């Protein structure tokens, strides 16, 4: 990946894609009839939510990989996905209330979808806190992997919450059955925005993986220096 | 009123990602410096080791 796709090019692609998504959101996507302009929050809110769910799925995969193979790459991958997923999940929890207030008249309500998304955010926090506060790196990786695997239970329930229960949160417009659906231009805009977010996610992921590689290299060099001093 | 919420949401998104990307970059620069310092220390140790032998 490093050889074929330089990080600078990746960053430029991400910025261009984000600009295209922004242009489509404001100039191409039609205005929603009842909510008006504020409905345009939908594109970043939904795209952030999908990316946060995907990030937790990647934590799950990395955690399984680490416990199964003790692969340091899988551990780094899960850690990176956790930190970036936390940022995306924070975006969901901020853009949601900013959309809810003018439309519902309230910032927040403890319905199933909102509560489970908040739980997902807490899981990201717990995962990152474990990684920061447990001193032994091997132990931190094992504990974080266990949280990553157990916490994944929240992801499908969160996704299905609006299908299983009556919620204040709107019913699904995507794969929501009869009566649901989006204007084709809204669909395209949503997919382009999600694509831009995935590009941003992958850029941040590879930057974070580079950080982890540097950390491991420093720790390896530090150990070899210390042992050669003792000898 | 709705438009100010829209603007706030988009501003928040840009700011959080700019701050996060800058934080990763800053950490990378710090670690690269640390790695360079360690490499220099290793070279110094090798040189003094070969000089004393």
């Amino acid at each position: 990946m490093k050889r074929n796709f330089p990080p600078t090019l990746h960053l430029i692609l991400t910025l261009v894609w984000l600009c295209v998504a922004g242009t489509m959101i404001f100039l191409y996507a039609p205005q929603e009839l009842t909510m008006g302009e504020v409905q345009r929050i939908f594109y970043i809110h939904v795209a952030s939510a999908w990316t946060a769910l995907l990030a937790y799925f990647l934590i799950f995969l990395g955690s399984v990989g680490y416990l199964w193979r003790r692969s340091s790459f899988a551990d780094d991958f899960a850690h990176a996905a956790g930190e970036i997923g936390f940022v995306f999940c924070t975006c969901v929890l901020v853009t949601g209330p900013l959309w809810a207030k003018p439309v519902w008249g309230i910032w927040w309500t403890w319905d199933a979808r909102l509560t489970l998304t908040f739980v997902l955010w807490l899981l990201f926090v717990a995962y990152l806190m474990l990684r920061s506060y447990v001193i032994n790196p091997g132990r931190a990786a094992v504990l974080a992997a266990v949280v990553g695997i157990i916490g994944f239970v929240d992801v499908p329930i969160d996704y299905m919450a609006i299908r299983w229960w009556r919620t204040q949160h709107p019913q699904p417009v995507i794969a929501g059955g009869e009566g649901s659906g989006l204007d084709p231009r809204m669909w395209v805009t949503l997919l382009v925005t999600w694509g831009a977010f995935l590009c941003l996610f992958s850029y941040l992921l590879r930057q974070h993986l580079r950080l982890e590689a540097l950390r491991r290299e420093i720790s390896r060099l530090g150990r070899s220096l210390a042992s050669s001093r003792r000898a | 009123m709705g438009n100010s919420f829209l603007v706030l949401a988009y501003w928040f998104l840009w700011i959080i990602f700019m701050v996060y990307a800058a934080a990763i970059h800053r950490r990378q620069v710090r670690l690269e410096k640390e790695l360079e310092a360690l490499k220099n220390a290793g070279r110094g140790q090798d040189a003094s080791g070969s000089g004393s032998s």
Side-chain angles (χ1 to χ4, degrees), chain A residues 15 18 25-26 37-41 43-44 48 80 83-84 87-88 90-91 94-95 97-98 101-102 107 197 200 204 206-208 210-211 214-215 217-218 221-222 224-225 228-229, chain B residues 1-14 16-18 20-46:
Chain A
L15 291 174
L18 283 170
I25 289 169
F26 289 101
E37 287 294 322
V38 79
Q39 184 270 346
R40 293 183 200 275
I41 292 177
Y43 302 103
I44 51 170
S48 300
E83 202 176 284
I84 304 161
V87 178
F88 276 98
T90 304
C91 288
V94 171
T95 54
L98 284 171
K101 180 65 180 165
W107 294 101
F197 280 20
L200 175 64
L204 294 171
R206 70 188 289 187
Q207 291 303 312
H208 205 289
R210 162 120 183 91
L211 265 185
L214 279 169
R215 267 197 204 116
E217 178 70 6
I218 286 170
L221 258 178
S224 78
L225 265 177
S228 65
R229 265 182 204 142
Chain B
M1 187 188 171
N3 285 354
S4 56
F5 286 103
L6 180 71
V7 171
L8 251 173
Y10 278 84
W11 266 115
F12 175 81
L13 206 81
W14 270 110
I16 196 168
F17 282 113
M18 298 278 268
Y20 182 62
I24 288 189
H25 179 70
R26 212 174 46 232
R27 275 190 276 174
Q28 261 185 16
V29 169
R30 185 174 53 79
L31 288 176
E32 273 161 4
K33 277 184 186 160
E34 206 175 315
L35 184 64
E36 198 53 41
L38 272 174
K39 279 180 179 167
N40 287 338
R43 277 185 220 118
Q45 206 175 48
D46 288 348

Side-chain angles (χ1 to χ4, degrees), chain A residues 147-163:
Chain A
V147 169
I149 291 168
I150 295 173
F152 182 66
V153 171
D154 183 71
V155 171
I157 303 175
D158 190 12
Y159 181 76
M160 294 305 289
I162 48 176
R163 292 164 176 85

Side-chain angles (χ1 to χ4, degrees), chain A residues 5-208:
Chain A
F5 197 39
T8 314
L9 198 63
H10 198 162
L11 177 64
I12 292 168
L13 176 70
T14 303
L15 291 174
V16 170
W17 203 333
L18 283 170
C19 288
V20 169
T23 310
M24 286 182 76
I25 289 169
F26 289 101
L27 299 178
Y28 174 73
Q31 187 177 341
E32 209 269 345
L33 285 176
T34 48
M35 288 182 268
E37 287 294 322
V38 79
Q39 184 270 346
R40 293 183 200 275
I41 292 177
F42 161 81
Y43 302 103
I44 51 170
H45 178 71
V46 175
S48 300
W50 287 353
T51 312
L53 291 175
L54 176 76
Y56 208 96
F57 178 60
L58 296 180
I59 295 180
F60 173 76
L61 289 183
S63 301
V64 170
Y66 178 71
L67 290 183
W68 187 20
R69 294 273 173 96
R70 297 286 159 167
S71 143
S72 59
F73 176 77
D75 183 44
D76 291 348
F77 188 76
H79 188 188
E83 202 176 284
I84 304 161
F86 166 76
V87 178
F88 276 98
C89 200
T90 304
C91 288
V92 179
L93 290 182
V94 171
T95 54
L98 284 171
W99 185 14
K101 180 65 180 165
V103 175
W104 300 343
I106 49 169
W107 294 101
W108 184 265
T109 180
W110 293 100
D111 80 357
R113 166 52 75 83
L114 273 66
T115 306
L116 286 163
T117 306
F118 182 62
V119 169
L120 184 71
W121 185 80
L122 291 176
L123 283 165
F124 277 118
V125 173
Y127 182 85
L128 295 175
M129 280 176 78
L130 257 176
R131 304 219 64 126
S132 302
Y133 294 125
V134 177
I135 297 165
N136 181 331
R139 195 170 158 72
V142 171
L143 286 174
V146 171
V147 169
I149 291 168
I150 295 173
F152 182 66
V153 171
D154 183 71
V155 171
I157 303 175
D158 190 12
Y159 181 76
M160 294 305 289
I162 48 176
R163 292 164 176 85
W164 288 344
W165 298 292
R166 275 176 88 85
T167 54
Q168 173 80 32
H169 188 281
Q171 295 301 297
V173 285
I174 294 140
E178 214 175 298
S180 69
L182 275 179
D183 180 286
R185 283 172 298 169
M186 288 180 168
W187 246 119
V188 172
T189 308
L190 177 62
L191 291 178
V192 169
T193 309
W194 192 37
F197 280 20
L198 288 179
C199 197
L200 175 64
F201 181 88
S202 59
Y203 172 74
L204 294 171
L205 191 78
R206 70 188 289 187
Q207 291 303 312
H208 205 289

